[in-house]
């Protein structure tokens, strides 16, 4: 065993005695046969005595006879499929130093949206294949044998042999092209040091538009032939983001070019491949006439997120997947910074609380996990691309930034990027740099947030002149965990002028009110209010005693509070009700304080809380469900009536978003007038797709309204939606229809919509839209459907993170 290839099985990571320096890779995809062949020559540094080379390979046919290390022929070659490794044994120890490992191999262009895969598109009425890669997290090994871990950085020199009429893109610019009949050979520049998961290839027919940054970096957006006008918005955001990050990180964009491209079959939203960022179409393309305001925001955020990775992730890479959150949490956080500076009127930092909210909701489950997770097998990585890595990750970064101050924080980040450029870093490495630059106990503070799952609720109680605080781990089932955190507490009293900040390190603490009261409030004591966690920068909840809670309700009514604080109060109150720490009645009473709110960011949280309450009440208080719905409808109606269905000249981006949000909310709550108006407008739209009565922003509300009226015996609305789906070429429009189909109250229609997912009319990447729309009435039938079809679902979606949507949408916690 000690000297056999099997000694390398069952290990979390590859042995370190040999590491790649440079890959020379030649690949030849056959788009008709959906196969590829390749040849790799890898310069390897052997640093310790070994007679083996161990690297990753999966679903590849390696030609054993072709393997050489320098002039050595291996004596045994074993591929362990389960471990996804290739063990190459020689009859004697390898010389310490550098040598070249060469081999040939073949594989299939699969349909799984990972590794080297095939995507389908239509060009000039003809159906075609394109070849695309998606390597994150651990699928480069499905395209070529490699040391497929983020810490094995190497240089890559690619050569592609492709049909002469196609465009072939990779991370680096083309240096040379030679054509020989129907095949051309494209040679690319050698890349700087980079991780395998960021290597990318796209081969197909495209058009592009081009622009450049202030430093002269060429930026292109590639789209389907004839659709470049849909790429201009992303191109503009892309160029501006690169300029912004160059300043923010005080480091130039590391590569000579950046391409961004829309792929018709794509498992995630987008992927930050170095110099060749791939997107699903809905996340890159924006069409003035066909896209909604929320589509526009999504494109901006996605582009800003992926381009942030070019520094945070690509230039400086996590040392191991345990530190994935460094990549994703940071890119998410900094994308808000970029978009906020490009579109200040979107009030993007307030919208950031959507991320904090999802993080807090998931992390209140006993089944959550710490931000830093142990990863023992490649198959475990997919599961951590979740709200903890992204949303909690981004939120604790915001918390730290707010504690340290924006300027100090940025300076430290820039040093971190410089220090670890072209290399790898762990979570501790970031804390060390921040600690050194700020002199604050960053490591101790942050470790309580990243190595421990969950978060605290702070109980706040007024006792005479003292504010007493106590922390306990918050869990949404009402139990309390044993966690303890170092909590950056912020608070203010009666006004935002005087704020008190300190670290709560023990279970309890108290402070004299005088400490954070501005000059005594002129309203006298009776209108006094105390708000903790100012602007929700901290990743925790607050439970106020009755007196403090009443003061906050008054402050909301008197319009004294910031948008972020209003959001925090309603979210915390909802979560505390779910956990049975306060009554439903007190939550409903609080909601009432929002009745003349007119801001999108606040109302989006109020609406989501309303919909959740209504959903819970179906099971928890069935007799009261109708009354509760009426109450919630009355809460949302005034703002909705003010906005109406039609867009007004000069209206703000956020009001456009608000209209769509409220109409959808009212339809979901069963408000008859809204449903009837939606149906009326839908009929006009169905006859005349160019009508101004149903632009993209209100279309989803109308589609949902129609589906509320559909049943097996009255199915014309469903069929009309299918017709729209079949006739449109726009992916965003298709997603709006798919997101409506399963929302009928009739179980058989829900079933029909779910089964529609299995037809070849729906791309596998789009299944989750249908899952996201399932009506409350359809939950049971969907659950039975999932159990019946589980084998098929597993076979088709298991290889991507899309599989989790089947569980999340059907068996979701509230
Ligand atoms: N690195 C991810 C893409 C990814 C996700 C790869 C899951 C492998 C598994 C990318 O940077 C990303 O985070 N994409 C987001 C975009 C969003 C946060 C704007 C996505 O795909 O949803
Ligand atoms: Zn990302």
């Amino acid at each position: 065993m000690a000297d056999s290839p099997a000694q390398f099985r069952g290990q979390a990571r590859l042995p370190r005695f040999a590491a790649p320096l440079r890959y020379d890779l030649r690949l030849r995809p056959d788009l008709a046969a959906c196969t590829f062949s390749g040849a790799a020559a890898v310069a390897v540094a052997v640093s310790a005595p070994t007679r083996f080379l161990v690297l990753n390979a999966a679903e590849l046919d390696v030609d054993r006879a072709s393997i050489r290390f320098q002039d050595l022929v291996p004596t045994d070659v074993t591929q362990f499929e389960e471990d996804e490794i290739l063990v190459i044994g020689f009859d004697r120890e390898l010389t310490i130093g550098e040598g070249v490992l060469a081999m040939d191999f073949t594989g299939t262009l699969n349909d799984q949206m990972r590794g080297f895969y095939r995507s389908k598109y239509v060009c000039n009425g003809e159906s075609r294949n394109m070849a695309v890669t998606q390597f994150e997290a651990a699928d480069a090994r499905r395209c070529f044998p490699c040391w497929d871990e983020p810490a094995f950085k190497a240089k890559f020199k690619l050569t592609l042999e492709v049909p002469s009429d196609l465009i072939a893109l990779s991370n680096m610019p083309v240096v040379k092209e030679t054509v020989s009949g129907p095949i051309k050979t494209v040679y690319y520049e050698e890349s700087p040091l980079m991780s395998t998961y960021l290597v990318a290839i796209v081969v197909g027919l495209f058009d592009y538009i081009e622009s450049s940054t202030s430093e002269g970096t060429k930026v292109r957006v590639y789209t389907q032939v004839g659709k470049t006008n849909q790429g201009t918005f992303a191109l503009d955001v892309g160029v501006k983001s690169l300029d912004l990050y160059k300043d923010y990180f005080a480091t130039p964009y590391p590569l000579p070019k950046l391409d961004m491209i829309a792929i018709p079959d794509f498992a995630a939203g987008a992927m930050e491949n170095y110099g060749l960022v791939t997107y699903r179409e809905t996340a890159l393309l924006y069409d003035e006439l066909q896209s909604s305001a929320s589509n526009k925001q999504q494109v901006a955020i996605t582009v800003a997120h992926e381009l942030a990775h070019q520094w945070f992730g690509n230039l400086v890479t996590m040392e191991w997947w345990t530190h994935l959150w460094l990549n994703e949490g940071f890119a998410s956080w900094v994308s808000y910074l970029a978009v906020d500076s490009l579109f200040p009127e979107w009030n993007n930092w307030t919208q950031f609380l959507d991320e904090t909210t999802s993080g807090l909701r998931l992390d209140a489950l006993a089944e959550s996990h710490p931000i830093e997770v142990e990863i023992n097998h490649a198959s475990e990585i997919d599961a951590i691309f979740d709200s903890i890595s992204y949303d909690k990750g981004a939120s604790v970064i915001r918390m730290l930034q707010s504690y340290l101050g924006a300027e100090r924080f940025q300076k430290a980040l820039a040093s971190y990027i410089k220090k670890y450029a072209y290399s790898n870093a762990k979570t501790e490495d970031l804390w060390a740099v921040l600690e050194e630059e700020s002199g604050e106990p960053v490591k101790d503070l942050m470790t309580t947030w990243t190595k421990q799952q969950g978060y605290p609720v702070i109980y706040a109680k007024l006792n005479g002149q003292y504010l007493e605080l106590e922390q306990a781990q918050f869990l949404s089932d009402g139990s309390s965990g044993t966690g303890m955190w170092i909590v950056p507490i912020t608070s203010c009293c009666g006004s935002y002028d005087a704020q008190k900040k300190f670290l709560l390190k023990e279970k309890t603490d108290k402070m004299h009110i005088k400490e954070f009261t501005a000059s005594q409030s002129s309203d006298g004591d009776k209108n006094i209010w105390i708000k903790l966690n100012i602007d929700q920068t901290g990743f925790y909840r607050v439970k106020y005693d009755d007196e403090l809670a009443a003061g906050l309700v008054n402050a909301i009514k008197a319009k004294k509070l910031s948008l972020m604080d209003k959001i925090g109060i309603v979210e915390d109150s909802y979560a505390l009700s779910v956990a049975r720490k306060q009554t439903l009645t007190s939550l409903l009473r609080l909601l009432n304080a929002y009745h003349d709110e007119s801001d999108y960011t606040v109302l989006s949280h109020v609406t989501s809380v309303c919909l959740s309450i209504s959903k819970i009440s179906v099971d928890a208080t069935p007799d009261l469900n109708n009354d509760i719905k009426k109450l919630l409808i009355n809460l949302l109606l005034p703002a909705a009536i003010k906005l109406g269905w039609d867009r007004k000249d000069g209206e703000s981006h956020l009001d456009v978003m608000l209209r769509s949000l409220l109409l959808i909310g009212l339809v979901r709550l069963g408000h008859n007038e809204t449903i009837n108006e939606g149906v009326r407008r839908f009929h006009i739209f169905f006859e005349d797709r160019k009508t101004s009565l149903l632009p993209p922003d209100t279309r989803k509300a109308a589609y949902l309204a129609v589906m509320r009226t559909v049943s097996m015996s009255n199915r014309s609305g469903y069929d009309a939606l299918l017709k729209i789906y079949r006739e449109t070429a726009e992916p965003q429009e298709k997603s709006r229809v798919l997101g409506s189909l399963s929302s009928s109250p009739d179980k058989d229609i829900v079933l029909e919509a779910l089964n529609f997912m299995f037809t070849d009319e729906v791309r596998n990447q789009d299944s989750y839209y249908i899952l996201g729309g399932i009506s409350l009435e359809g939950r049971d039938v969907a659950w039975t459907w999932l159990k019946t079809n589980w084998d098929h679902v597993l076979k088709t979606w298991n290889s991507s993170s899309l599989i989790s949507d089947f569980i999340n949408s059907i068996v979701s916690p509230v």
Side-chain angles (χ1 to χ4, degrees), residues 216-229:
T217 307
K218 276 203 177 124
V219 182
R220 289 181 179 176
V221 171
Y222 284 84
T223 69
Q224 287 196 33
V225 173
K227 291 204 168 175
T228 55
N229 66 313

Side-chain angles (χ1 to χ4, degrees), residues 8 21 187 218 320 440 457 474 493 533 563 571 604 645 701 710 731 759 762 764 778:
F8 301 109
L21 302 166
Y187 302 83
K218 276 203 177 124
W320 179 239
E440 297 278 346
V457 52
F474 179 79
C493 175
N533 197 10
L563 298 174
E571 286 291 348
S604 80
W645 279 76
V710 161
T759 69
V762 182
N764 288 341

Side-chain angles (χ1 to χ4, degrees), residues 521-533:
S521 143
S522 55
D523 302 346
D525 273 347
K526 74 175 185 329
N527 286 329
I528 219 67
W529 51 269
I530 291 176
K531 172 72 178 53
L532 279 92
N533 197 10

Side-chain angles (χ1 to χ4, degrees), residues 7 11 18 27 37 47 106 194 213 261 292 343 357 370 564-565 633 642 773 775:
Q7 67 182 292
Q11 307 292 319
L27 288 163
S37 57
S47 58
T106 58
M194 62 183 278
T213 65
I261 186 163
S292 65
F343 305 98
T357 301
M564 293 191 195
D565 283 334
I633 286 169
K642 225 192 270 165
S775 63

